[in-house]
Amino acid sequence: MPVYPLVPLPPPARRDSNTMHAIGNHLQHRVLQLAHHGQPTIDIELDESHHATHRAITSYSTMDTVEGKVHITVHHDTNFREIEIAFTGTAHVFVERLTTTPSMSGRTEASHKFLTLKMPLNPDDIPPSRILRAGKTYTLPFVFTIPTQLLPKACPHDVASDYVRQTHLMLPPSMGDAELSGFGAILLDDLAPEMAKITYGVKARIMQVHEDKLVLLAQKTRKVRVKPAFEEQPPLNTDGNKEFRPRLQRNIKKGLFKGKAGTLIAQASQPKPLVIPGARTLGAGPIATRAKVLLRFDPADENSLPPRLGSLKTSMKASTFYASSARNNLPTRDNLCYDHTQGAYTDTIPISTMCIGTTAQWEQQPASANPPTKEDLERRDSGISDCSGISAPAYESNIPPPSSNYKGGSFYTAFIVVPITMPLNKNFLPTFHSCLISRVYAVSMNLSVHAPGLGDPTLALKVPLQVCAEGSATGNENARVRSEEAAGILAEADRLLLPRGVAPPTVDLPPEYVALSSGITVAG
Protein backbone atom coordinates (compact mmCIF):
# COMPACT_ATOMS: atom_id res chain seq x y z
CA MET A 1 0.00 0.00 0.00
CA PRO A 2 1.59 3.27 -1.03
CA VAL A 3 2.22 5.93 1.57
CA TYR A 4 1.32 9.50 0.62
CA PRO A 5 2.95 12.44 2.37
CA LEU A 6 0.74 14.65 4.49
CA VAL A 7 0.12 17.97 2.84
CA PRO A 8 -1.12 20.77 5.17
CA LEU A 9 -4.45 22.30 4.21
CA PRO A 10 -4.36 25.92 3.10
CA PRO A 11 -5.62 28.38 5.71
CA PRO A 12 -9.11 29.75 5.16
CA ALA A 13 -9.18 32.83 3.05
CA ARG A 14 -9.35 36.02 5.12
CA ARG A 15 -12.03 38.46 4.23
CA ASP A 16 -10.99 41.95 3.36
CA SER A 17 -11.60 44.50 6.16
CA ASN A 18 -13.65 46.70 3.83
CA THR A 19 -15.87 43.73 2.96
CA MET A 20 -16.43 42.94 6.62
CA HIS A 21 -17.27 46.57 7.32
CA ALA A 22 -19.81 46.62 4.47
CA ILE A 23 -21.43 43.41 5.73
CA GLY A 24 -21.66 44.89 9.22
CA ASN A 25 -23.33 48.04 7.92
CA HIS A 26 -25.81 45.99 5.90
CA LEU A 27 -26.72 43.84 8.90
CA GLN A 28 -27.15 46.92 11.06
CA HIS A 29 -29.42 48.50 8.46
CA ARG A 30 -31.55 45.33 8.27
CA VAL A 31 -31.84 45.19 12.06
CA LEU A 32 -33.01 48.80 12.15
CA GLN A 33 -35.54 48.07 9.41
CA LEU A 34 -36.95 45.14 11.37
CA ALA A 35 -37.05 47.18 14.58
CA HIS A 36 -39.00 50.00 12.91
CA HIS A 37 -41.22 47.75 10.82
CA GLY A 38 -44.82 48.55 11.50
CA GLN A 39 -44.11 51.73 13.43
CA PRO A 40 -46.06 54.90 12.57
CA THR A 41 -44.46 57.27 10.09
CA ILE A 42 -44.18 60.85 11.38
CA ASP A 43 -43.50 63.79 9.09
CA ILE A 44 -43.09 67.36 10.44
CA GLU A 45 -43.82 70.17 8.01
CA LEU A 46 -42.89 73.77 8.80
CA ASP A 47 -44.98 76.61 7.41
CA GLU A 48 -42.46 79.29 6.44
CA SER A 49 -44.79 81.38 4.31
CA HIS A 50 -44.78 84.14 6.94
CA HIS A 51 -40.96 84.26 6.77
CA ALA A 52 -40.47 84.17 3.00
CA THR A 53 -36.75 84.71 2.59
CA HIS A 54 -36.03 82.23 -0.24
CA ARG A 55 -33.44 80.50 1.90
CA ALA A 56 -32.86 76.85 2.62
CA ILE A 57 -32.73 77.38 6.39
CA THR A 58 -35.02 79.85 8.13
CA SER A 59 -33.91 81.51 11.37
CA TYR A 60 -36.37 82.28 14.14
CA SER A 61 -35.93 85.00 16.73
CA THR A 62 -37.61 86.11 19.93
CA MET A 63 -41.42 86.36 19.70
CA ASP A 64 -41.43 84.71 16.26
CA THR A 65 -44.06 82.05 15.60
CA VAL A 66 -43.10 78.53 14.53
CA GLU A 67 -46.05 77.06 12.64
CA GLY A 68 -46.57 73.83 10.81
CA LYS A 69 -48.26 70.45 10.70
CA VAL A 70 -47.47 66.95 11.87
CA HIS A 71 -48.54 64.13 9.53
CA ILE A 72 -48.92 60.63 11.02
CA THR A 73 -49.43 57.51 8.88
CA VAL A 74 -49.58 53.86 10.02
CA HIS A 75 -49.38 50.64 8.02
CA HIS A 76 -51.79 48.74 10.24
CA ASP A 77 -54.29 49.61 12.93
CA THR A 78 -52.34 50.86 15.93
CA ASN A 79 -53.50 51.58 19.43
CA PHE A 80 -52.08 54.65 21.14
CA ARG A 81 -52.52 56.40 24.45
CA GLU A 82 -51.17 59.87 23.80
CA ILE A 83 -49.83 62.09 20.98
CA GLU A 84 -47.58 64.94 22.02
CA ILE A 85 -46.20 67.86 19.98
CA ALA A 86 -43.68 70.12 21.74
CA PHE A 87 -41.09 72.76 20.99
CA THR A 88 -37.95 71.99 22.99
CA GLY A 89 -34.57 73.54 23.68
CA THR A 90 -31.74 71.40 25.05
CA ALA A 91 -28.08 71.92 25.95
CA HIS A 92 -25.67 68.98 25.62
CA VAL A 93 -22.19 69.02 27.16
CA PHE A 94 -19.42 66.50 27.69
CA VAL A 95 -16.08 67.17 29.38
CA GLU A 96 -13.00 65.02 28.87
CA ARG A 97 -11.11 64.84 32.13
CA LEU A 98 -7.43 64.19 31.47
CA THR A 99 -5.19 63.82 34.52
CA THR A 100 -1.81 62.32 35.28
CA THR A 101 -3.51 59.35 36.94
CA PRO A 102 -5.22 57.05 34.41
CA SER A 103 -7.75 55.84 37.00
CA MET A 104 -8.98 59.43 37.49
CA SER A 105 -9.46 60.14 33.78
CA GLY A 106 -12.80 59.85 32.04
CA ARG A 107 -15.71 61.72 30.53
CA THR A 108 -18.53 63.51 32.29
CA GLU A 109 -21.71 64.39 30.40
CA ALA A 110 -24.74 66.56 31.07
CA SER A 111 -27.98 67.39 29.29
CA HIS A 112 -30.25 70.27 30.28
CA LYS A 113 -33.72 70.65 28.75
CA PHE A 114 -34.35 74.31 29.51
CA LEU A 115 -37.42 74.83 27.30
CA THR A 116 -40.52 72.72 26.68
CA LEU A 117 -43.61 74.23 25.04
CA LYS A 118 -46.45 71.72 24.57
CA MET A 119 -49.09 72.24 21.93
CA PRO A 120 -52.69 71.59 23.09
CA LEU A 121 -54.22 69.38 20.39
CA ASN A 122 -57.74 69.72 19.04
CA PRO A 123 -59.79 66.67 20.13
CA ASP A 124 -61.40 66.59 16.69
CA ASP A 125 -57.98 65.85 15.13
CA ILE A 126 -57.45 62.75 17.31
CA PRO A 127 -59.58 59.60 16.82
CA PRO A 128 -61.73 59.10 19.93
CA SER A 129 -61.20 55.36 19.79
CA ARG A 130 -57.46 55.88 20.30
CA ILE A 131 -56.79 53.73 17.24
CA LEU A 132 -54.84 54.94 14.22
CA ARG A 133 -56.36 53.29 11.16
CA ALA A 134 -54.13 51.74 8.50
CA GLY A 135 -53.57 53.76 5.36
CA LYS A 136 -55.00 56.96 6.80
CA THR A 137 -52.94 60.10 7.34
CA TYR A 138 -53.70 62.21 10.41
CA THR A 139 -52.73 65.90 10.27
CA LEU A 140 -52.18 67.84 13.50
CA PRO A 141 -51.40 71.60 13.24
CA PHE A 142 -49.15 73.37 15.73
CA VAL A 143 -48.20 76.95 16.57
CA PHE A 144 -45.42 77.96 18.97
CA THR A 145 -44.19 81.41 19.99
CA ILE A 146 -40.52 81.65 20.95
CA PRO A 147 -40.45 83.30 24.40
CA THR A 148 -38.35 86.27 25.40
CA GLN A 149 -36.99 84.47 28.46
CA LEU A 150 -37.18 81.16 30.29
CA LEU A 151 -39.29 80.26 33.30
CA PRO A 152 -37.59 80.23 36.74
CA LYS A 153 -37.83 76.43 36.87
CA ALA A 154 -35.27 76.29 34.01
CA CYS A 155 -32.58 77.46 36.49
CA PRO A 156 -33.40 75.79 39.85
CA HIS A 157 -29.85 75.61 41.20
CA ASP A 158 -28.12 78.07 43.53
CA VAL A 159 -26.46 81.12 42.00
CA ALA A 160 -24.13 83.79 43.34
CA SER A 161 -26.38 86.76 42.53
CA ASP A 162 -29.64 87.80 40.95
CA TYR A 163 -27.73 89.01 37.89
CA VAL A 164 -26.41 85.48 37.26
CA ARG A 165 -29.94 84.12 37.58
CA GLN A 166 -31.17 86.73 35.11
CA THR A 167 -28.52 85.78 32.54
CA HIS A 168 -29.27 82.07 32.94
CA LEU A 169 -32.96 82.71 32.21
CA MET A 170 -32.23 84.40 28.88
CA LEU A 171 -32.91 82.24 25.83
CA PRO A 172 -29.55 80.97 24.48
CA PRO A 173 -28.90 80.79 20.70
CA SER A 174 -28.53 77.64 18.64
CA MET A 175 -24.93 76.50 18.77
CA GLY A 176 -22.66 73.69 17.70
CA ASP A 177 -24.87 72.12 15.01
CA ALA A 178 -23.06 72.06 11.67
CA GLU A 179 -26.34 71.44 9.80
CA LEU A 180 -27.91 74.70 11.01
CA SER A 181 -25.05 77.01 11.95
CA GLY A 182 -24.76 80.02 9.69
CA PHE A 183 -26.57 83.00 8.23
CA GLY A 184 -29.48 82.16 5.95
CA ALA A 185 -28.65 79.31 3.58
CA ILE A 186 -24.89 79.75 4.09
CA LEU A 187 -23.43 77.34 6.63
CA LEU A 188 -20.67 79.00 8.66
CA ASP A 189 -18.52 77.99 11.59
CA ASP A 190 -19.95 79.34 14.85
CA LEU A 191 -16.64 78.82 16.71
CA ALA A 192 -18.23 76.23 19.02
CA PRO A 193 -16.35 73.13 20.18
CA GLU A 194 -17.61 69.60 19.76
CA MET A 195 -18.13 69.39 23.51
CA ALA A 196 -20.93 72.00 23.67
CA LYS A 197 -24.18 72.06 21.71
CA ILE A 198 -27.52 73.88 22.01
CA THR A 199 -30.37 72.60 19.84
CA TYR A 200 -34.00 73.55 19.27
CA GLY A 201 -36.66 71.56 17.51
CA VAL A 202 -40.27 70.55 17.07
CA LYS A 203 -40.70 67.07 18.57
CA ALA A 204 -43.66 64.80 17.89
CA ARG A 205 -44.07 61.46 19.63
CA ILE A 206 -46.70 58.76 20.01
CA MET A 207 -47.09 56.88 23.29
CA GLN A 208 -48.93 53.63 24.00
CA VAL A 209 -49.55 51.43 27.02
CA HIS A 210 -47.60 48.20 27.29
CA GLU A 211 -47.90 46.03 30.40
CA ASP A 212 -49.45 48.91 32.34
CA LYS A 213 -46.57 51.18 31.41
CA LEU A 214 -46.49 54.15 29.08
CA VAL A 215 -43.88 53.42 26.41
CA LEU A 216 -42.66 55.32 23.37
CA LEU A 217 -44.05 53.99 20.09
CA ALA A 218 -42.59 56.49 17.59
CA GLN A 219 -40.79 59.84 17.69
CA LYS A 220 -39.59 62.45 15.21
CA THR A 221 -37.76 65.77 15.69
CA ARG A 222 -37.41 68.64 13.21
CA LYS A 223 -34.49 70.85 14.16
CA VAL A 224 -34.96 74.62 14.08
CA ARG A 225 -32.40 77.44 14.13
CA VAL A 226 -33.06 80.02 16.86
CA LYS A 227 -31.31 83.40 17.04
CA PRO A 228 -32.88 85.27 19.97
CA ALA A 229 -32.49 88.97 20.61
CA PHE A 230 -29.91 90.08 23.20
CA GLU A 231 -29.94 93.59 24.57
CA GLU A 232 -26.82 95.47 25.61
CA GLN A 233 -25.64 94.63 29.12
CA PRO A 234 -23.58 96.84 31.48
CA PRO A 235 -19.81 96.85 30.82
CA LEU A 236 -17.88 94.09 32.51
CA ASN A 237 -15.93 95.05 35.61
CA THR A 238 -12.31 94.06 34.94
CA ASP A 239 -10.87 95.11 38.31
CA GLY A 240 -8.90 92.18 39.68
CA ASN A 241 -9.72 90.03 36.66
CA LYS A 242 -6.54 88.38 35.43
CA GLU A 243 -8.05 87.51 32.06
CA PHE A 244 -7.98 91.13 30.89
CA ARG A 245 -5.22 93.73 30.64
CA PRO A 246 -6.85 97.13 30.07
CA ARG A 247 -3.72 99.04 31.16
CA LEU A 248 -0.01 98.28 30.80
CA GLN A 249 3.21 100.23 31.29
CA ARG A 250 6.67 99.52 29.96
CA ASN A 251 10.05 101.09 30.70
CA ILE A 252 11.78 102.50 27.62
CA LYS A 253 15.58 102.67 27.57
CA LYS A 254 17.80 105.09 25.69
CA GLY A 255 20.01 102.29 24.43
CA LEU A 256 21.34 98.84 25.17
CA PHE A 257 23.74 99.96 27.91
CA LYS A 258 22.21 103.36 28.60
CA GLY A 259 19.79 104.68 31.14
CA LYS A 260 16.00 104.79 31.12
CA ALA A 261 14.29 107.23 28.79
CA GLY A 262 10.89 107.05 30.45
CA THR A 263 7.77 104.96 30.95
CA LEU A 264 5.25 104.16 28.21
CA ILE A 265 1.61 103.59 29.19
CA ALA A 266 -1.14 102.07 27.03
CA GLN A 267 -4.73 102.00 28.23
CA ALA A 268 -8.02 100.93 26.64
CA SER A 269 -11.59 100.47 27.81
CA GLN A 270 -14.39 98.16 26.71
CA PRO A 271 -15.68 99.34 23.31
CA LYS A 272 -19.31 99.62 22.35
CA PRO A 273 -20.86 96.25 21.50
CA LEU A 274 -21.11 94.66 18.10
CA VAL A 275 -24.78 94.35 17.15
CA ILE A 276 -25.84 91.40 14.99
CA PRO A 277 -28.85 92.13 12.74
CA GLY A 278 -32.10 90.32 13.42
CA ALA A 279 -33.02 86.95 11.98
CA ARG A 280 -33.97 86.92 8.28
CA THR A 281 -32.50 90.41 7.77
CA LEU A 282 -31.64 91.08 4.12
CA GLY A 283 -28.92 93.42 2.91
CA ALA A 284 -27.33 93.95 6.32
CA GLY A 285 -24.23 96.11 6.24
CA PRO A 286 -20.93 95.43 7.96
CA ILE A 287 -21.07 94.83 11.70
CA ALA A 288 -18.49 97.12 13.24
CA THR A 289 -17.50 99.11 16.28
CA ARG A 290 -14.31 100.85 17.37
CA ALA A 291 -12.01 100.96 20.35
CA LYS A 292 -9.73 103.72 21.57
CA VAL A 293 -6.21 103.17 22.87
CA LEU A 294 -4.80 105.98 24.98
CA LEU A 295 -1.02 106.39 25.13
CA ARG A 296 1.11 108.30 27.57
CA PHE A 297 4.86 108.70 27.95
CA ASP A 298 6.33 109.94 31.23
CA PRO A 299 9.93 111.03 30.44
CA ALA A 300 12.69 110.35 32.92
CA ASP A 301 14.12 113.83 32.28
CA GLU A 302 13.26 116.88 30.26
CA ASN A 303 15.49 115.84 27.34
CA SER A 304 13.85 112.43 26.81
CA LEU A 305 11.50 112.14 23.86
CA PRO A 306 8.73 109.57 23.38
CA PRO A 307 9.46 106.49 21.24
CA ARG A 308 8.34 106.20 17.66
CA LEU A 309 5.09 104.27 17.28
CA GLY A 310 5.17 101.14 15.15
CA SER A 311 2.16 98.92 14.46
CA LEU A 312 -1.01 97.75 16.16
CA LYS A 313 -2.29 94.22 15.57
CA THR A 314 -5.91 93.59 16.55
CA SER A 315 -7.59 90.22 16.96
CA MET A 316 -10.80 88.91 18.45
CA LYS A 317 -10.94 85.96 20.83
CA ALA A 318 -14.16 83.90 21.07
CA SER A 319 -14.22 81.73 24.20
CA THR A 320 -16.79 79.04 24.88
CA PHE A 321 -17.05 77.79 28.45
CA TYR A 322 -18.87 74.53 29.08
CA ALA A 323 -19.46 72.40 32.17
CA SER A 324 -21.12 69.11 33.07
CA SER A 325 -22.58 70.62 36.24
CA ALA A 326 -24.61 73.79 36.72
CA ARG A 327 -22.57 76.96 37.17
CA ASN A 328 -23.40 79.30 40.06
CA ASN A 329 -21.39 82.24 38.72
CA LEU A 330 -19.97 83.67 35.51
CA PRO A 331 -17.16 81.44 34.22
CA THR A 332 -13.48 82.37 34.49
CA ARG A 333 -10.29 80.67 33.44
CA ASP A 334 -8.95 80.73 36.97
CA ASN A 335 -11.33 77.94 38.00
CA LEU A 336 -10.41 75.56 35.17
CA CYS A 337 -7.43 74.14 37.03
CA TYR A 338 -9.45 73.32 40.13
CA ASP A 339 -12.72 72.10 38.64
CA HIS A 340 -12.48 69.12 36.28
CA THR A 341 -16.18 69.31 35.37
CA GLN A 342 -15.70 72.33 33.15
CA GLY A 343 -13.63 73.27 30.14
CA ALA A 344 -13.00 76.13 27.74
CA TYR A 345 -12.34 76.45 24.03
CA THR A 346 -10.92 79.64 22.48
CA ASP A 347 -10.65 80.58 18.83
CA THR A 348 -8.68 83.62 17.65
CA ILE A 349 -9.79 85.62 14.62
CA PRO A 350 -7.38 88.26 13.21
CA ILE A 351 -9.02 91.63 12.60
CA SER A 352 -6.45 94.11 11.28
CA THR A 353 -2.87 95.31 11.34
CA MET A 354 -2.37 99.08 11.43
CA CYS A 355 0.75 101.16 10.92
CA ILE A 356 0.28 103.91 13.48
CA GLY A 357 3.55 105.74 13.01
CA THR A 358 1.90 108.40 10.85
CA THR A 359 -1.69 108.34 12.14
CA ALA A 360 -1.00 108.86 15.87
CA GLN A 361 1.09 111.84 16.88
CA TRP A 362 2.61 112.61 20.28
CA GLU A 363 1.48 115.82 21.96
CA GLN A 364 3.25 117.40 24.92
CA GLN A 365 1.04 118.09 27.94
CA PRO A 366 1.72 120.31 30.99
CA ALA A 367 1.63 118.90 34.51
CA SER A 368 -1.72 120.62 35.10
CA ALA A 369 -3.37 118.33 32.52
CA ASN A 370 -3.01 115.28 34.77
CA PRO A 371 -6.36 113.71 35.70
CA PRO A 372 -7.21 113.62 39.42
CA THR A 373 -6.01 110.61 41.36
CA LYS A 374 -8.05 108.49 43.75
CA GLU A 375 -6.50 110.36 46.66
CA ASP A 376 -7.69 113.66 45.21
CA LEU A 377 -11.22 112.36 44.89
CA GLU A 378 -11.20 110.94 48.41
CA ARG A 379 -10.05 114.29 49.85
CA ARG A 380 -12.97 116.09 48.28
CA ASP A 381 -16.00 117.07 50.30
CA SER A 382 -18.57 114.26 50.21
CA GLY A 383 -21.26 116.88 49.57
CA ILE A 384 -19.79 117.72 46.16
CA SER A 385 -21.31 115.33 43.67
CA ASP A 386 -19.87 116.58 40.37
CA CYS A 387 -16.37 116.74 38.97
CA SER A 388 -16.61 120.25 37.57
CA GLY A 389 -14.35 121.71 40.25
CA ILE A 390 -11.32 119.48 39.77
CA SER A 391 -9.70 119.12 36.38
CA ALA A 392 -12.86 118.53 34.40
CA PRO A 393 -10.99 118.94 31.07
CA ALA A 394 -8.85 115.94 32.01
CA TYR A 395 -11.86 113.63 31.68
CA GLU A 396 -12.74 115.05 28.28
CA SER A 397 -9.18 114.90 26.92
CA ASN A 398 -8.83 111.12 27.55
CA ILE A 399 -5.49 111.42 29.31
CA PRO A 400 -4.45 108.26 31.18
CA PRO A 401 -3.35 108.50 34.82
CA PRO A 402 0.41 108.82 35.33
CA SER A 403 2.71 105.85 35.74
CA SER A 404 4.27 104.77 39.00
CA ASN A 405 7.54 106.39 37.86
CA TYR A 406 6.06 109.82 37.18
CA LYS A 407 7.77 112.53 39.22
CA GLY A 408 5.98 115.60 37.92
CA GLY A 409 6.55 117.88 35.00
CA SER A 410 5.38 117.68 31.42
CA PHE A 411 4.51 114.43 29.63
CA TYR A 412 3.36 113.24 26.21
CA THR A 413 0.04 111.76 25.08
CA ALA A 414 -1.46 110.23 21.96
CA PHE A 415 -4.49 108.15 21.07
CA ILE A 416 -5.37 105.53 18.45
CA VAL A 417 -8.86 104.80 17.11
CA VAL A 418 -9.04 101.08 16.33
CA PRO A 419 -11.82 99.93 13.95
CA ILE A 420 -13.24 96.49 14.77
CA THR A 421 -15.22 94.87 11.96
CA MET A 422 -16.77 91.43 12.35
CA PRO A 423 -15.54 89.00 9.66
CA LEU A 424 -18.18 87.63 7.31
CA ASN A 425 -16.74 84.12 7.08
CA LYS A 426 -17.76 83.19 10.64
CA ASN A 427 -21.10 82.88 12.41
CA PHE A 428 -20.79 84.98 15.55
CA LEU A 429 -23.17 84.25 18.40
CA PRO A 430 -24.21 86.90 20.92
CA THR A 431 -22.59 87.01 24.34
CA PHE A 432 -24.62 84.76 26.63
CA HIS A 433 -24.43 82.75 29.85
CA SER A 434 -26.58 79.67 30.49
CA CYS A 435 -26.49 77.05 33.22
CA LEU A 436 -23.99 74.87 31.33
CA ILE A 437 -22.62 76.89 28.39
CA SER A 438 -21.31 80.45 28.02
CA ARG A 439 -19.90 82.47 25.13
CA VAL A 440 -17.74 85.56 25.74
CA TYR A 441 -15.51 87.71 23.53
CA ALA A 442 -12.39 89.79 24.01
CA VAL A 443 -10.30 92.12 21.85
CA SER A 444 -6.51 91.81 21.91
CA MET A 445 -4.43 94.78 20.74
CA ASN A 446 -0.67 94.33 20.46
CA LEU A 447 1.12 97.69 20.27
CA SER A 448 4.76 97.82 19.19
CA VAL A 449 7.05 100.86 19.34
CA HIS A 450 10.52 101.54 17.95
CA ALA A 451 13.15 102.05 20.65
CA PRO A 452 16.92 101.61 20.87
CA GLY A 453 18.01 98.18 22.05
CA LEU A 454 17.85 94.57 21.00
CA GLY A 455 14.13 94.50 20.21
CA ASP A 456 11.11 96.75 19.91
CA PRO A 457 8.97 96.83 23.08
CA THR A 458 5.42 95.46 22.79
CA LEU A 459 2.38 96.10 24.96
CA ALA A 460 -0.44 93.54 24.68
CA LEU A 461 -3.79 94.93 25.80
CA LYS A 462 -6.89 92.78 26.22
CA VAL A 463 -10.35 94.16 26.93
CA PRO A 464 -13.80 92.50 26.92
CA LEU A 465 -16.09 92.85 23.93
CA GLN A 466 -19.84 92.35 24.00
CA VAL A 467 -21.84 91.01 21.06
CA CYS A 468 -25.58 91.81 21.03
CA ALA A 469 -28.35 90.74 18.67
CA GLU A 470 -31.43 92.50 17.37
CA GLY A 471 -34.82 90.86 17.05
CA SER A 472 -36.51 90.05 13.76
CA ALA A 473 -39.02 92.43 12.18
CA THR A 474 -41.95 90.06 12.75
CA GLY A 475 -40.82 89.24 16.25
CA ASN A 476 -40.58 92.92 17.18
CA GLU A 477 -44.05 93.56 15.72
CA ASN A 478 -45.51 90.63 17.67
CA ALA A 479 -43.89 91.94 20.84
CA ARG A 480 -45.32 95.41 20.22
CA VAL A 481 -48.85 94.07 19.66
CA ARG A 482 -48.69 91.95 22.79
CA SER A 483 -47.36 94.87 24.79
CA GLU A 484 -50.28 97.04 23.67
CA GLU A 485 -52.74 94.27 24.49
CA ALA A 486 -51.23 93.84 27.94
CA ALA A 487 -51.35 97.59 28.54
CA GLY A 488 -55.02 97.65 27.54
CA ILE A 489 -55.84 94.77 29.88
CA LEU A 490 -54.05 96.47 32.78
CA ALA A 491 -55.85 99.76 32.07
CA GLU A 492 -59.21 97.99 32.05
CA ALA A 493 -58.36 96.22 35.31
CA ASP A 494 -57.37 99.54 36.92
CA ARG A 495 -60.64 101.07 35.77
CA LEU A 496 -62.66 98.25 37.31
CA LEU A 497 -60.75 98.46 40.57
CA LEU A 498 -61.15 102.22 41.00
CA PRO A 499 -62.89 103.16 44.29
CA ARG A 500 -66.51 104.13 43.86
CA GLY A 501 -68.51 106.65 45.95
CA VAL A 502 -71.22 105.38 48.31
CA ALA A 503 -72.84 108.77 49.11
CA PRO A 504 -76.65 109.01 48.78
CA PRO A 505 -77.93 110.34 45.44
CA THR A 506 -78.61 114.04 45.12
CA VAL A 507 -82.26 115.17 45.05
CA ASP A 508 -83.51 118.36 43.37
CA LEU A 509 -84.82 120.56 46.22
CA PRO A 510 -86.96 123.74 45.90
CA PRO A 511 -85.03 127.01 45.76
CA GLU A 512 -84.19 128.79 48.96
CA TYR A 513 -86.31 131.73 50.14
CA VAL A 514 -83.34 134.05 49.78
CA ALA A 515 -83.09 133.22 46.09
CA LEU A 516 -86.78 134.06 45.60
CA SER A 517 -86.70 137.25 47.65
CA SER A 518 -83.46 138.61 46.19
CA GLY A 519 -85.38 141.03 44.00
CA ILE A 520 -87.92 142.20 46.70
CA THR A 521 -87.41 145.54 48.46
CA VAL A 522 -88.99 145.96 51.92
CA ALA A 523 -90.10 149.51 52.78
CA GLY A 524 -89.44 150.81 56.28
Side-chain angles (χ1 to χ4, degrees):
M1 182 177 180
V3 179
Y4 297 97
L6 296 178
V7 179
L9 296 176
R14 295 184 178 179
R15 296 183 181 271
D16 184 68
S17 60
N18 295 332
T19 305
M20 296 296 294
H21 184 69
I23 294 175
N25 290 339
H26 178 72
L27 292 176
Q28 182 180 7
H29 178 68
R30 293 296 299 170
V31 170
L32 291 176
Q33 282 185 337
L34 293 175
H36 293 281
H37 178 70
Q39 287 189 353
T41 302
I42 302 176
D43 184 27
I44 301 177
E45 176 188 358
L46 292 178
D47 182 9
E48 300 176 344
S49 60
H50 300 290
H51 313 299
T53 56
H54 306 289
R55 293 174 176 177
I57 303 174
T58 301
S59 300
Y60 296 90
S61 185
T62 305
M63 295 303 296
D64 274 338
T65 56
V66 182
E67 303 181 49
K69 299 176 181 178
V70 174
H71 306 284
I72 301 175
T73 307
V74 294
H75 304 284
H76 56 81
D77 292 353
T78 304
N79 296 321
F80 73 94
R81 178 63 178 273
E82 181 182 352
I83 298 178
E84 181 181 284
I85 303 177
F87 185 82
T88 61
T90 309
H92 304 275
V93 170
F94 71 88
V95 180
E96 295 286 356
R97 186 175 62 181
L98 302 178
T99 62
T100 56
T101 305
S103 60
M104 297 296 293
S105 302
R107 171 187 287 195
T108 57
E109 300 182 10
S111 179
H112 178 211
K113 183 177 289 187
F114 52 84
L115 178 64
T116 301
L117 303 177
K118 293 185 178 181
M119 177 67 190
L121 302 180
N122 189 349
D124 297 336
D125 298 332
I126 303 176
S129 61
R130 300 287 173 172
I131 298 177
L132 300 175
R133 298 301 178 181
K136 184 178 180 180
T137 300
Y138 298 87
T139 300
L140 308 175
F142 62 84
V143 178
F144 298 104
T145 299
I146 299 179
T148 56
Q149 63 179 21
L150 304 175
L151 295 176
K153 65 179 182 180
C155 181
H157 58 90
D158 296 333
V159 292
S161 63
D162 293 338
Y163 176 74
V164 177
R165 178 85 65 191
Q166 178 185 354
T167 57
H168 284 190
L169 293 180
M170 297 178 67
L171 202 68
S174 298
M175 186 181 77
D177 193 342
E179 298 178 0
L180 298 178
S181 174
F183 185 84
I186 303 175
L187 296 179
L188 299 174
D189 181 16
D190 60 1
L191 309 175
E194 182 185 358
M195 294 75 72
K197 181 181 295 186
I198 297 176
T199 57
Y200 292 87
V202 178
K203 179 182 292 185
R205 61 179 185 174
I206 305 173
M207 311 292 290
Q208 69 175 187
V209 177
H210 179 70
E211 296 180 355
D212 298 332
K213 294 181 180 179
L214 197 63
V215 297
L216 180 63
L217 178 61
Q219 178 176 279
K220 182 71 175 292
T221 301
R222 176 75 179 269
K223 290 187 291 186
V224 174
R225 179 198 291 172
V226 175
K227 291 187 172 184
F230 277 85
E231 297 180 354
E232 181 179 355
Q233 299 296 316
L236 184 65
N237 185 11
T238 59
D239 293 342
N241 194 332
K242 298 180 181 179
E243 296 185 25
F244 302 103
R245 298 180 298 273
R247 175 184 167 92
L248 290 174
Q249 68 178 38
R250 185 76 178 269
N251 293 331
I252 305 298
K253 295 184 177 181
K254 296 180 180 180
L256 183 59
F257 299 104
K258 298 181 180 179
K260 185 171 61 176
T263 304
L264 177 64
I265 304 168
Q267 179 176 317
S269 59
Q270 180 174 339
K272 292 184 177 181
L274 293 167
V275 181
I276 302 175
R280 306 182 305 278
T281 301
L282 298 176
I287 305 171
T289 185
R290 61 180 184 178
K292 180 179 288 188
V293 178
L294 306 179
L295 303 178
R296 172 172 176 150
F297 180 74
D298 293 337
D301 52 63
E302 296 181 355
N303 298 325
S304 298
L305 297 177
R308 292 187 300 110
L309 301 176
S311 62
L312 181 67
K313 295 182 179 181
T314 307
S315 61
M316 182 188 302
K317 294 183 179 296
S319 300
T320 304
F321 292 87
Y322 53 92
S324 57
S325 60
R327 302 291 89 184
N328 62 355
N329 208 338
L330 302 183
T332 59
R333 292 189 176 274
D334 295 340
N335 299 330
L336 294 177
C337 300
Y338 307 102
D339 189 357
H340 296 289
T341 63
Q342 65 175 335
Y345 174 82
T346 300
D347 205 337
T348 302
I349 304 97
I351 300 297
S352 63
T353 300
M354 301 171 54
C355 181
I356 57 177
T358 56
T359 57
Q361 301 295 329
W362 289 107
E363 182 179 354
Q364 190 173 10
Q365 303 287 348
S368 59
N370 277 302
T373 62
K374 293 182 179 180
E375 291 76 9
D376 296 334
L377 297 177
E378 291 175 356
R379 286 195 298 265
R380 298 185 64 198
D381 187 1
S382 59
I384 302 176
S385 58
D386 62 295
C387 299
S388 59
I390 294 183
S391 188
Y395 291 97
E396 301 175 358
S397 60
N398 293 323
I399 297 178
S403 65
S404 57
N405 300 324
Y406 179 68
K407 300 179 180 178
S410 61
F411 57 94
Y412 298 87
T413 60
F415 69 91
I416 309 167
V417 177
V418 185
I420 302 173
T421 303
M422 184 177 291
L424 300 178
N425 59 346
K426 300 291 182 181
N427 177 32
F428 286 87
L429 306 176
T431 304
F432 75 94
H433 299 280
S434 65
C435 297
L436 299 180
I437 304 174
S438 297
R439 167 62 66 85
V440 295
Y441 297 91
V443 176
S444 296
M445 294 171 284
N446 294 336
L447 171 67
S448 64
V449 297
H450 301 293
L454 296 178
D456 295 334
T458 302
L459 288 83
L461 300 176
K462 186 178 180 181
V463 295
L465 176 65
Q466 185 180 163
V467 178
C468 305
E470 297 177 343
S472 64
T474 56
N476 294 337
E477 178 63 20
N478 293 338
R480 185 191 64 81
V481 172
R482 289 204 176 188
S483 177
E484 291 180 354
E485 292 178 353
I489 294 174
L490 291 177
E492 181 65 18
D494 293 340
R495 188 186 66 81
L496 295 175
L497 295 177
L498 284 176
R500 301 185 179 182
V502 294
T506 59
V507 180
D508 293 336
L509 299 176
E512 296 290 340
Y513 173 76
V514 176
L516 296 176
S517 62
S518 59
I520 300 176
T521 303
V522 180

